[in-house]
Amino acid sequence: MRCCISQAQIEARALTKTFRVPKRGSGVTGAIQHLFAPVYEDKRALDQVTFDIASGEAVACVGPNGAGKSTTVKLMVGITMPTSGSVRIEGLDPHKERITNSRKIGVVFGQRSQLWWDLPVAESLRLLGDIYEIPPDRYDQTLKTCTELLELGPLLGQASRSLSLGQRMRCDIAASLLHSPRILFLDEPTIGLDVAVKARIRQFISAMNRERGVTVVLTSHDLQDIETICQRIILMDKGAIVFDGSLLAVKRQFDRSRVVTFRLREMVPDAAARVQIALSEVAPPPVITVTGYDTVVTFDPSHSSSAAVVAKVMAELPVEDLKIEEPGIESIIRQLYDGTLKLGVAEPVT
Amino acid sequence: MTTAGIARRPKYVALFSMGLSDALAYRTSAAISWVINGWSVLIVVYVWYSLFAQDGAPVAQFDWQAMKTYLILAHAVNWFMQSDVSWIVADAVQNGNIVTDLTRPADYMLSKFSQAIGGSLVNGTIGTVILFGSSIIFLHLQAPASPAAAGLFILACVLGYGVNFLISYLMGLSTCWLTNNQGLSWVLWYAGRILAGTVIPISLFPGWLQTVAWASPFQATVSTPLLIYLGHDQQGGALGLIGVQVAWIIGLGAFSRWLYARAMRRLEIQGG
Ligand SMILES: Nc1ncnc2c1ncn2[C@@H]1O[C@H](COP(=O)(O)OP(=O)(O)OP(=O)(O)O)[C@@H](O)[C@H]1O
Ligand SMILES: [Mg+2]
């Protein structure tokens, strides 16, 4: 009997993590006082976090600094233990079954490297091949794919300490995938990288997810990462989940506007009035602003299609070019970070 | 660049050779430690030589020849065993880099052990063999008490290495409770060297300190192989002393497993 077919690949149930932090007065007196009568206070980093992740999903864990994203990843990877609640990876406790679990998962902590500092990258990778007992032909094949897609060729002979951040990160990502893990955890994999390297890494991770079916769990502050790689988003704030759903649903739920910018061939003095008349049947009434050659129309896409709006405006004005903007999750997440987004969820206890 | 044609190594063998090449990357510092160790042996031997020269009488069961042999060998054996595993584990716990070890399918203690042997081979063993070899030739060290003693001496050195590794590993793990164990490490290291009989033979200690030393695991590192070499193993014989070493390895090994499990439950990776 297979027990695990109906199960989610990753199950978190009421995950709670409390850190005991020393409460220390300042200066020498504080230090001495702490030595003899240490005072601790409990700091709740995660509070009753529950979610399921199915095999093959790509999930982004998003939230302001200190929201508990890294803590959640550490619990899923099994390197820390929850204070209460549980997490299961393919039915196993990742902390108790550390070694079994480590064969199923690949882990990248953007701030740390898993390569040996003084060894050439190729040596580090070979060593990982030995530790994971990867069959040589599969090892060669995976390394070849990674080398091509991440352009590792010139880096393999260099010692890890001599690599730039972006070069090191590409090698680190390859290192985490050598043993063909079924789940890939990435905690801020693009932090501090330039635009080109970010794009390459995103494409690569996305390809692993779509083509190989690798489950991806990613934390990032870069919304481009999230939009390129993930279909689902878990928004966290103060140790609790405030939203969990598809990226599309976030956009629909939180942002019901679409922005079309029309660039005109010539100045049309009464452009705003003419567009208003052309779109008089669109409800709710669109917002029209004109600046120079640009006429910007903001409307609700759930009531009128973009195609209809564009067709009507183009029939009215000499349009040379146009740009349709998707609702950005950026603005939504910024609202969340600022604390101005009200989601009707009880404030978590800190 | 491909690795085609390179065969898989067993993982702990791979980790051992990693420890080796890592240490080789710092061969200059290894060479410096050989020089420092070599000098410190000469100084200690010279100090004892002047003490003996004053009346020439043997101290306890040691005449000058035996004392000279003891001091040089004690240094050599101590050198052979030295490893930085305590520091490596403490550092990994403190800065959180232990996560990289813990996300791999390898036993943590065995990984550290394999790496430590690789490192010791560069830092300790080569120097030890040079020191030992040249001392036998140039300083006319006493030969082992018997051929059997020579064989058992080597066995005792290997077991002593294991005991010393376990002590260092446990010190490293203790960082999970004592966030800053630098001080403790140093105190233990010095106390350990003395209790191990590296500085002077344990039988020259005052009575109470002898009791402490015999009850501690440190004597199973340096003192035991030397007593066997010199044939000073009256109480219990060489095999008895080796039995004590084995007992320490089993005891400390079991304690390490237990402490490791507790440490992992406490582990709070900082940063990220
Ligand atoms: N080892 C620790 N000891 C004490 N408190 C901790 C520890 N690790 C995390 N915390 C606290 O737990 C909370 C969540 O931290 P976490 O690292 O999970 O945040 P995050 O969402 O990853 O933030 P960031 O976006 O800044 O990486 C923070 O308030 C942090 O101070
Ligand atoms: Mg984080």
Side-chain angles (χ1 to χ4, degrees), chain B:
Chain B
M1 209 166 146
T2 94
T3 53
I6 295 180
R8 279 278 82 91
R9 300 165 292 185
K11 60 182 137 190
Y12 297 109
V13 173
L15 284 163
F16 158 79
S17 68
M18 197 283 285
L20 197 76
S21 37
D22 223 24
L24 281 173
Y26 292 100
R27 52 188 172 275
T28 322
S29 77
I32 291 172
S33 93
W34 298 351
V35 172
I36 293 175
N37 270 295
W39 272 112
S40 70
V41 182
L42 289 180
I43 291 167
V44 171
V45 170
Y46 184 75
V47 167
W48 277 92
Y49 176 70
S50 8
L51 286 176
F52 268 92
Q54 281 169 7
D55 60 4
V59 180
Q61 33 180 309
F62 289 90
D63 56 13
W64 167 235
Q65 182 69 11
M67 182 56 91
K68 186 174 69 183
T69 306
Y70 185 98
L71 291 172
I72 291 174
L73 280 187
H75 264 81
V77 171
N78 178 61
W79 191 358
F80 160 77
M81 284 171 189
Q82 85 187 14
S83 97
D84 41 13
V85 63
S86 146
W87 182 82
I88 289 174
V89 172
D91 189 54
V93 166
Q94 242 158 29
N95 67 23
N97 283 337
I98 195 171
V99 297
T100 53
D101 285 302
L102 296 181
T103 51
R104 291 177 185 149
D107 181 82
Y108 187 67
M109 185 169 80
L110 286 181
S111 303
K112 292 299 131 190
F113 187 58
S114 314
Q115 280 169 254
I117 298 176
S120 299
L121 220 49
V122 175
N123 291 317
T125 317
I126 297 174
T128 308
V129 171
I130 296 173
L131 175 63
F132 192 23
S134 57
S135 307
I136 285 196
I137 297 166
F138 299 114
L139 296 174
H140 313 293
L141 290 196
Q142 201 168 304
S146 66
L152 289 174
F153 165 72
I154 291 173
L155 175 63
C157 283
V158 171
L159 292 172
Y161 186 92
V163 175
N164 186 63
F165 169 82
L166 287 168
I167 295 171
S168 308
Y169 175 73
L170 282 166
M171 268 160 65
L173 280 186
S174 71
T175 317
C176 286
W177 286 268
L178 312 156
T179 324
N180 192 343
N181 80 345
Q182 288 270 308
L184 180 77
S185 286
W186 282 109
V187 170
L188 258 174
W189 190 77
Y190 278 113
R193 266 175 63 100
I194 291 169
L195 292 177
T198 311
V199 185
I200 49 168
I202 296 176
S203 55
L204 304 186
F205 289 0
W208 64 272
L209 194 57
Q210 276 194 41
T211 316
V212 174
W214 291 126
S216 84
F218 296 103
Q219 49 83 23
T221 60
V222 174
S223 177
T224 297
L226 286 171
L227 294 185
I228 292 173
Y229 185 97
L230 294 171
H232 291 185
D233 44 28
Q234 296 83 352
Q235 312 108 319
L239 289 175
L241 289 176
I242 283 178
V244 172
Q245 285 186 305
V246 172
W248 273 117
I249 288 182
I250 294 172
L252 290 174
F255 183 55
S256 294
R257 291 273 173 225
W258 179 81
L259 199 72
Y260 171 80
R262 309 279 315 227
M264 290 306 107
R265 262 185 266 160
R266 278 184 68 92
L267 196 62
E268 288 172 358
I269 305 296
Q270 316 274 340

Side-chain angles (χ1 to χ4, degrees), chain A residues 17-20 70 74 77 79-81 95 98-99 102-103 107 109 111-119 122-123 126-136 139-140 143 153 156-157 187, chain B residues 1-12 14-15 17-18 21-22 25-26 95-108 115 260-261 264-272:
Chain A
K17 179 75 188 177
T18 310
F19 290 106
R20 206 157 149 256
S70 296
K74 286 172 195 166
V77 169
I79 50 183
T80 40
M81 257 183 101
H95 186 84
R98 179 179 79 74
I99 291 192
S102 66
R103 293 184 186 281
V107 187
F109 288 104
Q111 328 260 32
R112 305 178 195 280
S113 178
Q114 53 188 315
L115 304 167
W116 284 270
W117 189 240
D118 295 303
L119 298 187
E123 258 308 295
R126 179 177 169 221
L127 190 50
L128 287 173
D130 295 329
I131 294 175
Y132 284 94
E133 296 160 329
I134 308 167
Y139 172 86
D140 287 337
L143 183 58
L156 292 177
D187 191 1
Chain B
M1 209 166 146
T2 94
T3 53
I6 295 180
R8 279 278 82 91
R9 300 165 292 185
K11 60 182 137 190
Y12 297 109
L15 284 163
S17 68
M18 197 283 285
S21 37
D22 223 24
Y26 292 100
N95 67 23
N97 283 337
I98 195 171
V99 297
T100 53
D101 285 302
L102 296 181
T103 51
R104 291 177 185 149
D107 181 82
Y108 187 67
Q115 280 169 254
Y260 171 80
M264 290 306 107
R265 262 185 266 160
R266 278 184 68 92
L267 196 62
E268 288 172 358
I269 305 296
Q270 316 274 340

Side-chain angles (χ1 to χ4, degrees), chain A residues 17-22 43-46 62-74 80 111 187-188 219-221 236 239 337, chain B residues 267-272:
Chain A
K17 179 75 188 177
T18 310
F19 290 106
R20 206 157 149 256
V21 287
K43 190 166 173 194
R44 184 156 294 186
L46 278 187
V62 185
N65 291 134
K69 307 177 296 292
S70 296
T71 306
T72 311
V73 172
K74 286 172 195 166
T80 40
Q111 328 260 32
D187 191 1
E188 306 199 30
T219 82
S220 179
H221 291 288
M236 298 188 71
Y337 285 17
Chain B
L267 196 62
E268 288 172 358
I269 305 296
Q270 316 274 340

